[in-house]
Amino acid sequence: MAQVAVVGGGPIGLMLACEVALHDVPVVVLERLPDIEHHPKAEGITGRAIDILDRRALMIGVDGAPAQPTDEERARIALGERRPDSLQPKAFPGARHFATMFVLRPESPDLLVPQQVLERDLARRAAQLGVEVRRGHTVTGFTQDAGAVHLDVDGPGGPYRMTAGWLAGCDGGRSTIRKLAGIAFPGTDGITTGYRAFAEIDDPGFHLPGWFRKDNGLLVYEEGPPRFITLEFSGPPASRDAPITREEFQAALRRLSGTDVTVTKIHKINRFTDNERQAETYRRGRVLLAGDAAHVQSQWSGPGLRLGLGDAVNLGWKLAAVARGQCEESLLDTYTSERHPVGAQTLEVQRASIALMRPGPHVDALRRLFTHLLMDEHTNRRLTAVVDDLHVEYDMGDPSLTGPLVGRYCPDLRLKTADGPVRLAELQRTGRPLLLDLADDPGLRARAEPWSGRVDVVSAGCADAPADALLIRPDGFVAWSTPAGAASLTDALARWFGPPARAA
C-alpha cells in the first residue's frame, strides 16, 4: 500500500510527491495523460517560486548566471520541441507588469522558462527519489475510512483498485478529487475570453510588437517566433473544451488589430478566461487539495504556478510527518489555515488586475493614477511583494515569539560553517527542518538533541545574522528565533515536528 497517492502529474503534483518522498514515504502519482502537455502554459517562474526551487536544487541556474539561449533554442522551446539538456533557464532582470502596466520592480530576476521544462526537471527528480509515476491512469472514484483511502482507477490494462493512507488531489481546476470529496468551490465567473498562441501570419508587419490595450480588449504581439495573446471582455467562452479553429483565433486577432490579418498556421494555442474560485477547505479527512484543484485564478502575472508550489512545500513535509506517525493529524489542519488565506488574497489581486485591464476612459484614468502611485518606491515594493508572494506570514501559534523573522520566510543567509561557506538554500535541500545556531550555543544544541533524528542542527557564523538562533521549517518559514527562550524552542519543536524521542 502506498502511504500517499497523488492524483495529477503536473508540476504541483510532482513537486508534492518529491516533497513527501524526501522523507522516505512511499508515493504513487496517478496522471490521466500519457505525456506532458505541450500547449502554452506558464512561460516563466517568478517571485517566491524561484526561492522554492532553489532550496530543492531544482532548475539549477537560479542563483548563478545561466547561459543565454540562442534565438534558435528559444524558437524550439516556444514551439514545444525538446529542450536541450545543456540549456539553462535565463534570468530576466527588470520590471514586470501588473495588469499589463510594466511598473513592478521585483527583488530578484524572473526565469524565462516554459512550464514544460520545469515538469521534466521535476519528473527526473521524482524518479531519483523513487516516486512511482503512473501515466495514463485515471481515478474514477474513491472512498475513505478511518485508516485509508480506497481508489478506483482506470489504467491502460483496465480498471483496478488501490489503497493509500492519504490522497492528494493535484488534478487541476476541474478536479475530480475535489468533486468526489464534496468540497465546495465558490467564486466568480469569468468575464473575458482570451487566446495564447504561437502562430504564423501572412503579414508579420501587421501590427507593432508589444502590449496594447485596445477599445475592445488587449493584444500582445511578440516577434521571433511569433507569439500572441488576445483578451476580449465579451464574457467567458461558450466552451473551454471545444477545439480551437484557425478561423476562431483569426477573428479575435482581426477584431483587436483592426486589420484583415490571416493566420496561416498555428503551432500551439490555448483558450482561457478569468474565473476565480477557491475550495472552501483544503482538507476533508484523508483527502487534501493543492494547486489548481484548490484554487483557480486568471493567468496574468503567472500566479498559479507560484501559488501551487507554495502549497506543495507547505503540505509535503506535514503530510510525510503524519504518514510516518511522527506527528498528529492535527498538523494537517495548519495546511488549510496557512495556505487558504494566501490563495484568497491571490484571487483578490487577480480580480483587481482584470478590472484594471478593462477598456474605457474611466479605467484609463484609474490606470494613470495607479501608475503615478507606483512611482513611490515603498508602494511599489509592497505591491510587488503581494504579487510575488513575498509578503506571506504564518501564525506560529505562540504569542511569546517576538523575533523579527518568526512566521516569515527566512532569507537566503550566507553562512560560514566548519566545512566552509554555504548558503541557507543549500542547507535546506534535504527537506528537513533546520535549527541554525549563529552564536555557538552548546546549550541550544543540547535542548534540540531529542529531535536530532528529525531536525538538522547547524552551527555557523553569519555577518548579517538576524538573530542568535533560528528554527526553520522545511518550507523555509521561521518557526522560532531568539530572543525567545528555551521553553518556547522546545514547544516549537514539539508543535511542528512531533514529541521528543524517548531516551535510550
Side-chain angles (χ1 to χ4, degrees):
M1 179 181 83
Q3 285 183 273
V4 175
V6 176
V7 178
I12 309 309
L14 290 171
M15 186 72 186
L16 177 58
C18 290
E19 289 294 291
V20 174
L22 279 171
H23 301 275
D24 298 321
V25 174
V27 187
V28 173
V29 176
L30 303 168
E31 167 54 52
R32 65 179 179 83
L33 297 175
D35 201 356
I36 294 173
E37 287 186 299
H38 289 289
H39 67 70
K41 295 185 178 182
E43 295 162 3
I45 301 169
T46 63
R48 185 63 74 216
I50 295 175
D51 300 319
I52 289 170
L53 297 176
D54 186 22
R55 295 197 185 192
R56 295 298 186 265
L58 290 157
M59 303 302 298
I60 293 298
V62 169
D63 189 62
Q68 170 72 46
T70 65
D71 289 341
E72 180 182 358
E73 288 168 333
R74 287 187 185 280
R76 288 205 302 271
I77 292 172
L79 300 181
E81 297 183 18
R82 189 170 184 82
R83 167 183 177 267
D85 289 339
S86 61
L87 177 61
Q88 295 291 341
K90 171 62 181 173
F92 181 73
R96 280 195 291 105
H97 78 88
F98 178 73
T100 72
M101 294 179 286
F102 283 82
V103 290
L104 297 187
R105 294 187 283 276
E107 290 187 4
S108 59
D110 300 338
L111 293 180
L112 294 183
V113 56
Q115 179 175 313
Q116 290 88 344
V117 176
L118 172 59
E119 289 188 45
R120 286 197 287 269
D121 202 19
L122 284 165
R124 285 193 291 267
R125 178 60 55 83
Q128 292 168 358
L129 293 170
V131 175
E132 181 184 358
V133 179
R134 302 179 187 176
R135 288 197 168 272
H137 291 247
T138 302
V139 175
T140 58
F142 70 81
T143 60
Q144 61 173 314
D145 53 40
V149 184
H150 311 280
L151 295 89
D152 298 312
V153 186
D154 190 5
Y160 64 94
R161 193 167 175 83
M162 67 171 286
T163 298
W166 298 88
L167 172 61
C170 303
D171 51 337
R174 288 175 277 187
S175 168
T176 297
I177 302 305
R178 185 189 65 243
K179 294 173 184 175
L180 291 174
I183 299 175
F185 202 46
T188 54
D189 294 331
I191 59 174
T192 63
T193 294
Y195 301 92
R196 187 187 309 267
F198 290 93
E200 296 176 19
I201 56 178
D202 65 345
D203 180 11
F206 90 108
H207 198 284
L208 291 173
W211 293 57
F212 299 92
R213 282 181 71 240
K214 300 287 188 173
D215 290 341
N216 52 343
L218 175 76
L219 173 64
V220 177
Y221 171 45
E222 296 176 355
E223 298 176 304
R227 182 180 83 116
F228 303 87
I229 302 174
T230 67
L231 188 73
E232 295 176 276
F233 287 80
S234 54
S239 171
R240 292 281 305 277
D241 299 320
I244 304 172
T245 66
R246 181 180 63 83
E247 290 77 15
E248 176 186 351
F249 173 58
Q250 177 178 276
L253 272 187
R254 289 181 174 183
R255 286 191 297 268
L256 288 164
S257 68
T259 70
D260 292 327
V261 62
T262 298
V263 176
T264 58
K265 185 175 184 180
I266 295 177
H267 295 282
K268 293 193 301 182
I269 190 169
N270 74 329
R271 183 194 292 117
F272 62 91
T273 186
D274 61 294
N275 56 312
E276 317 279 348
R277 298 188 176 277
Q278 185 177 29
E280 64 178 2
T281 179
Y282 290 1
R283 179 193 176 199
R284 179 148 294 167
R286 291 181 168 269
V287 179
L288 301 111
L289 305 175
D292 286 353
H295 42 74
V296 294
Q297 55 285 312
S298 67
Q299 301 179 10
W300 300 103
S301 301
L305 183 60
R306 181 176 59 247
L307 189 60
L309 290 173
D311 293 344
V313 295
N314 184 287
L315 175 59
W317 64 274
K318 297 174 182 177
L319 186 53
V322 172
R324 288 171 62 93
Q326 292 175 344
C327 294
E328 298 293 330
E329 288 186 22
S330 58
L331 179 64
L332 294 175
D333 293 331
T334 67
Y335 170 56
T336 293
S337 66
E338 291 181 348
R339 294 301 298 172
H340 198 278
V342 178
Q345 185 173 48
T346 298
L347 266 61
E348 287 289 280
V349 169
Q350 292 304 103
R351 290 187 185 106
S353 177
I354 291 295
L356 280 166
M357 287 192 288
R358 276 180 175 272
H362 294 84
V363 176
D364 291 344
L366 183 60
R367 287 171 66 91
R368 287 191 292 270
L369 175 60
F370 199 85
T371 301
H372 176 73
L373 291 173
L374 288 178
M375 292 302 101
D376 175 74
E377 185 71 15
H378 179 69
T379 304
N380 192 291
R381 292 299 181 191
R382 287 191 65 179
L383 179 61
T384 302
V386 170
V387 170
D388 281 349
D389 290 347
L390 305 179
H391 70 300
V392 175
E393 186 171 344
Y394 300 142
D395 179 3
M396 291 298 159
D398 185 348
S400 70
L401 296 178
T402 58
L405 287 177
V406 172
R408 299 174 61 190
Y409 197 80
C410 190
D412 188 19
L413 303 173
R414 267 53 178 176
L415 307 169
K416 292 183 179 179
T417 70
D419 296 325
V422 65
R423 293 188 297 122
L424 176 66
E426 295 167 320
L427 294 178
Q428 290 215 278
R429 287 175 177 172
T430 63
R432 286 164 55 89
L434 175 66
L435 178 59
L436 195 57
D437 174 15
L438 301 176
D440 193 19
D441 183 353
L444 177 82
R445 298 192 293 274
R447 286 190 289 274
E449 180 61 28
W451 287 269
S452 60
R454 283 168 265 164
V455 179
D456 292 334
V457 181
V458 174
S459 296
C462 181
D464 53 351
D468 288 342
L470 299 166
L471 177 62
I472 307 169
R473 303 191 320 186
D475 57 357
F477 284 81
V478 177
W480 171 91
S481 82
T482 53
S488 61
L489 171 60
T490 302
D491 289 345
L493 287 164
R495 171 179 171 80
W496 297 110
F497 314 121
R502 292 193 181 118

